[in-house]
Amino acid sequence: MKVFKFGGASVKDATSVKNAVEILKGFKGEKLLVVISAMGKTTNALEKVVNDYFFSKGNAHTSLKEVRDYHQQIMEELFSEKTNPVFDKVNNFFVEADWMLDEKPQHTYSFVYDQIVSLGELISTCIVSAYLEQQGCSNIWLDVRDVLMTDNTYREAKVDWQKSEMLVQKQVVPVFNRVDVIITQGFIGGTSENYTTTLGREGSDYTAAIFAYLLDAEAMYIWKDVPGVLNADPKFYKDAQKLDQISYHDAIELAYYGATVIHPKTIKPLENKNIPLYVKSFLKPEANGTAIRTNVQTKPLIPSYIFKNNQVLISIAAKDFSFIAEDNLSRIFALFAGHGVKINLMQNSAISFSVCVDNDSFKIPALIEALQKDYKIRYNEDLMLYTIRHYYQNTIDAITSGKEILLEQRSRNTAQFVLRESVK
Ligand code: ASP
Ligand code: MG
């Protein structure tokens, strides 16, 4: 049994859906649980619907119609028979959403968000499932909300592993006796009161990992528009190269430092059951991609680079020049947590504590104001944070050359630099 995940880009139009279905056909005879995201940029478009509705910003019905037209066009290209039941199924989702938009919002923003944004995955999976069927591959469309149970933390729901395990054993495992392919939604889950939840943006990788874990899959595959996991974002680094294999540990570290290729929560469930993860290109499915699994180390280790722009370095000192010690630190951390600011890098000396964070234009001014009540604050904006995992001196020299280093930190495997473009 394998678990596949197809992201939004792999099903963004009719041609892409056909391509994804070709990939599935290539695994004929195998048991596959296929997790699919919303098509293309549908999640963003549905977020706009939610904002129009909740904040009465624009016309939510009009915004929803755009989402509807986009899917309608894809369906018209895929299904020549206008009597195919998929047209009705998809239409019903939109009709229900329109009804909801007719009412005044009764619940919290996050609740409303999840009920509307989840449409993207429900619809994409209906379309792919129907097209697969039309191509002669019988499959079952599974409503993930019946088996992937969560709490009711809307927009960031926590998985109830025990309940989900039980439901997957009862409702998913037996289905594989009847069909080879199950199609289901990424990113969303259900509560015990039958409401829809979401697991956080880009959460479909995580959904696939949950299923791989619960079903003891032999492997999980993520199909992407890149050849695999690269050692840097090619937008920032022209010599980016594909990594043939990396360890779970490296994958977690790369995600932690900000590499966006795999959702950070994805690796742990796989590592716990030693399930390999293959990241492969949906444009070149026969190519090798990247294998993520236990204890692989290619020697010499290939450096990976993570670049973050728009950083701010905040230096915090006591007003009376006393030491910044534990009692101060716990107050400072509480302020960061209270303002929802994630620390990217920190360093302390006797009288000051320096922190590098993303320069969020809402959170940071408020945080600085709060800190200024008790501390002397200095800060520098427009900085870059470069992280190199498996660094060598020459790699450091290459990426820091021509830049001013404001702060640096090295551990055995990872070097980090807060940098500013030097003024010439
Ligand atoms: N469609 C969701 C999003 O764009 C989930 C995902 O793509 O993984 O955030
Ligand atoms: Mg998506």
Side-chain angles (χ1 to χ4, degrees):
M1 214 287 304
K2 296 183 165 87
V3 173
F4 282 6
K5 183 263 177 170
F6 286 95
S10 68
V11 288
K12 68 176 192 302
D13 50 27
T15 314
S16 311
V17 172
K18 289 179 185 169
N19 178 65
V21 163
E22 279 312 306
I23 292 176
L24 292 176
K25 283 183 175 168
F27 288 82
K28 212 174 171 66
E30 298 201 47
K31 303 282 179 203
L32 303 177
L33 183 120
V34 184
V35 171
I36 305 177
S37 303
M39 295 179 154
K41 303 266 178 255
T42 299
T43 305
N44 294 348
L46 289 167
E47 281 185 343
K48 181 171 180 333
V49 175
V50 176
N51 290 339
D52 287 351
Y53 169 62
F54 204 83
F55 303 115
S56 311
K57 270 193 190 157
N59 188 327
H61 288 286
T62 315
S63 306
L64 185 67
K65 181 156 185 311
E66 280 174 30
V67 179
R68 188 180 195 151
D69 291 347
Y70 165 67
H71 288 94
Q72 183 69 26
Q73 194 191 331
I74 294 178
M75 287 195 289
E76 278 169 19
E77 282 183 52
L78 292 174
F79 306 101
S80 44
E81 291 287 339
K82 292 294 161 283
T83 51
N84 192 310
V86 71
F87 285 97
D88 268 349
K89 268 193 214 153
V90 168
N91 190 41
N92 286 342
F93 284 120
F94 284 109
V95 170
E96 273 182 43
D98 265 319
W99 283 341
M100 188 165 163
L101 300 181
D102 281 334
E103 309 280 322
K104 283 228 157 348
Q106 307 277 347
H107 297 274
T108 62
Y109 176 81
S110 297
F111 175 87
V112 170
Y113 178 102
D114 283 3
Q115 310 318 303
I116 292 179
V117 165
S118 51
L119 275 186
E121 271 70 15
L122 291 166
I123 291 166
S124 68
T125 48
C126 275
I127 296 176
V128 175
S129 167
Y131 184 70
L132 197 57
E133 198 74 37
Q134 178 179 274
Q135 295 300 299
C137 304
S138 81
N139 69 91
I140 295 277
W141 181 85
L142 171 75
D143 189 333
V144 79
R145 299 170 297 178
D146 293 338
V147 295
L148 207 160
M149 291 297 126
T150 71
D151 69 359
N152 55 8
T153 319
Y154 295 101
R155 296 187 71 189
E156 204 59 60
K158 306 276 165 307
V159 174
D160 183 334
W161 287 88
Q162 261 182 346
K163 261 199 215 158
S164 305
E165 160 116 71
M166 200 257 298
L167 289 164
V168 163
Q169 288 306 325
K170 223 168 83 190
Q171 295 185 34
V172 181
V173 172
V175 174
F176 276 126
N177 296 328
R178 290 189 280 136
V179 290
D180 287 341
V181 181
I182 298 177
I183 304 282
T184 199
Q185 305 80 42
F187 177 53
I188 71 177
T191 68
S192 46
E193 299 90 37
N194 280 327
Y195 289 117
T196 307
T197 54
T198 63
L199 307 176
R201 283 303 306 264
E202 309 302 331
S204 296
D205 291 353
Y206 182 42
T207 305
I210 296 167
F211 274 109
Y213 179 92
L214 294 177
L215 289 163
D216 282 316
E218 75 199 61
M220 170 171 153
Y221 289 65
I222 298 182
W223 298 96
K224 288 188 79 79
D225 55 1
V226 287
V229 177
L230 305 181
N231 73 332
D233 183 338
K235 272 187 278 187
F236 295 110
Y237 190 69
K238 66 172 175 19
D239 297 327
Q241 62 181 110
K242 179 181 75 81
L243 302 165
D244 293 334
Q245 41 182 358
I246 55 174
S247 64
Y248 293 121
H249 187 153
D250 272 339
I252 289 174
E253 295 279 347
L254 292 176
Y256 173 77
Y257 290 117
T260 51
V261 50
I262 303 161
H263 190 281
K265 285 185 187 163
T266 309
I267 303 297
K268 208 69 208 148
L270 302 176
E271 183 180 19
N272 285 352
K273 286 211 175 159
N274 224 339
I275 301 166
L277 167 59
Y278 300 101
V279 180
K280 284 165 72 89
S281 160
F282 59 74
L283 299 166
K284 269 197 174 175
E286 62 298 336
N288 269 336
T290 300
I292 301 172
R293 54 175 158 232
T294 194
N295 288 336
V296 285
Q297 295 286 4
T298 25
K299 295 262 167 82
L301 291 165
I302 300 172
S304 289
Y305 305 89
I306 298 128
F307 303 130
K308 275 171 163 269
N309 286 330
N310 198 22
Q311 299 292 298
V312 51
L313 183 65
I314 307 175
S315 296
I316 304 162
K319 285 188 170 158
D320 58 3
F321 286 105
S322 60
F323 291 158
I324 293 282
E326 288 73 8
D327 52 342
N328 281 310
L329 286 174
S330 75
R331 270 162 64 204
I332 294 168
F333 282 129
L335 283 172
F336 276 79
H339 285 80
V341 175
K342 180 182 168 287
I343 295 174
N344 294 332
L345 179 113
M346 59 191 163
Q347 200 166 69
N348 72 325
S349 70
I351 55 162
S352 100
F353 179 60
S354 301
V355 182
C356 181
V357 295
D358 294 352
N359 199 356
D360 182 303
S361 55
F362 291 104
K363 294 178 183 172
I364 300 305
L367 171 67
I368 287 180
E369 202 185 306
L371 286 165
Q372 273 167 338
K373 292 202 179 95
D374 294 319
Y375 299 98
K376 258 191 10 207
I377 304 299
R378 282 183 302 126
Y379 60 95
N380 277 296
E381 296 179 287
D382 293 324
L383 305 178
M384 302 164 282
L385 173 63
Y386 282 11
T387 304
I388 317 177
R389 184 144 173 95
H390 303 313
Y391 60 86
Y392 301 95
Q393 191 54 46
N394 61 343
T395 53
I396 293 178
D397 295 343
I399 68 157
T400 58
S401 100
K403 301 192 178 65
E404 183 190 347
I405 301 177
L406 279 76
L407 196 150
E408 70 173 273
Q409 212 168 71
R410 295 186 202 197
S411 68
R412 202 148 46 93
N413 292 316
T414 307
Q416 292 192 288
F417 301 89
V418 179
L419 301 165
R420 173 158 56 198
E421 285 304 341
S422 309
V423 234
K424 290 183 191 88

